[in-house]
Each structure stands twice: as structure tokens, then as C-alpha cells.
């Protein structure tokens, strides 16, 4: 008699071999290993939609996610050992819902607000300065941001 494992167990729930498992911000896949054991391996990222639902994103896919008027374009990256998501662009959303994307290293004025999008080592990060003075952009150039 030969025992063959049929799936993975995660959080008290059973998953079949080949099934994708959402866990936190990431997606894993239940796989059968060459030695007939089963395990989970990184397989993608999770997008949280506006309604709170979770969406399975595969490697290379991008989506916009964030709060209030500053959001980010996220990209899912990984391989069979690691998975991560990086913010690759900042997105400013005005009061009408119109979105404008900014690259890392850029800043732009929207009315009385200035959006700054910084380029980090592996992701971008940003901030919105409300009621920014007229010369704010000029004073911000020394921190390495250009007006885009």
C-alpha cells in the first residue's frame, strides 16, 4: 500500500494540489514535490479591491491600490522561492476621481496641493502636501525631486 498526499492544509482549510491559496498579501500554490510530499510555494500577490474583495494577481501583473488621494501602482514579482510586491508609481486622485500617475523622483502641483513621489531602493513612496506655498516646488528640488 502506498500513501499519496492529496493536498495542503492552511489555516485549518484543505487545498488540493495545484490550488492557489490567498494568505495575507500573497498567493501560494499547493504543489507536490518530487519526493511525493506536498508544500506551498509562492505564486502571486493579492489585490484588495475597493469593495474589500481579494483578487489573485500573477507575477508581472500591475494594479492600483491605496487610500484617499494617494495611491500606488503595484507590481507582483517573484519566483518559486520568493514573492513580493513593489510600488512602481505614485497615483494622485483628485476630488473628481481623475487619476494622474507620477514616476519616482517627480513632484507635481494640483491646485494648492503638491504630490511628491520618491524613488526608494526597490519601491516608490510618496506624500501629498496640502496648502503648499507657491515656491514649494523650488524649495523641494534639493531633496532630488524634479517637477514632472
Amino acid at each position: 500500500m502506498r500513501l499519496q498526499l492529496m493536498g495542503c492544509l492552511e489555516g485549518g482549510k484543505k487545498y488540493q494540489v495545484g490550488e492557489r491559496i490567498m494568505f495575507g498579501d500573497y498567493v501560494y500554490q499547493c504543489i507536490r514535490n518530487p519526493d511525493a510530499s506536498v508544500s506551498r510555494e509562492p505564486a502571486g500577490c493579492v489585490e484588495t479591491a475597493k469593495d474589500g474583495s481579494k483578487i489573485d494577481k500573477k507575477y508581472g501583473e500591475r494594479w492600483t491600490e491605496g487610500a484617499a488621494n494617494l495611491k500606488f501602482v503595484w507590481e507582483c514579482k517573484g519566483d518559486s522561492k520568493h514573492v513580493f510586491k513593489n510600488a512602481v508609481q505614485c497615483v494622485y486622485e483628485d476630488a473628481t476621481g481623475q487619476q494622474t500617475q507620477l514616476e519616482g523622483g517627480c513632484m507635481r502641483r494640483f491646485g494648492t496641493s503638491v504630490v511628491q513621489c520618491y524613488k526608494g531602493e526597490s519601491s516608490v513612496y510618496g506624500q501629498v502636501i496640502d496648502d503648499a506655498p507657491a515656491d514649494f516646488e523650488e524649495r523641494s528640488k534639493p531633496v532630488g525631486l524634479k517637477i514632472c
Side-chain angles (χ1 to χ4, degrees), residues 70-123:
L70 183 61
K71 303 175 185 329
F72 299 94
V73 174
W74 294 92
E75 182 175 27
C76 186
K77 295 184 177 185
D79 55 34
S80 64
K81 302 251 186 276
H82 305 93
V83 61
F84 51 94
K85 62 182 190 178
N86 286 346
V88 295
Q89 288 179 313
C90 299
V91 179
Y92 176 72
E93 186 174 310
D94 68 19
T96 68
Q98 182 170 340
Q99 295 184 348
T100 303
Q101 294 182 352
L102 284 91
E103 299 294 327
C106 289
M107 67 179 149
R108 185 179 297 173
R109 180 174 287 275
F110 297 90
T112 61
S113 298
V114 173
V115 179
Q116 296 178 319
C117 187
Y118 297 92
K119 186 172 179 91
E121 198 170 304
S122 60
S123 282

Side-chain angles (χ1 to χ4, degrees), residues 16 18 34 40 49 51 53 56 87 94 97 120:
Q16 297 297 316
R40 66 177 191 168
D51 66 3
S53 63
D56 183 341
D94 68 19

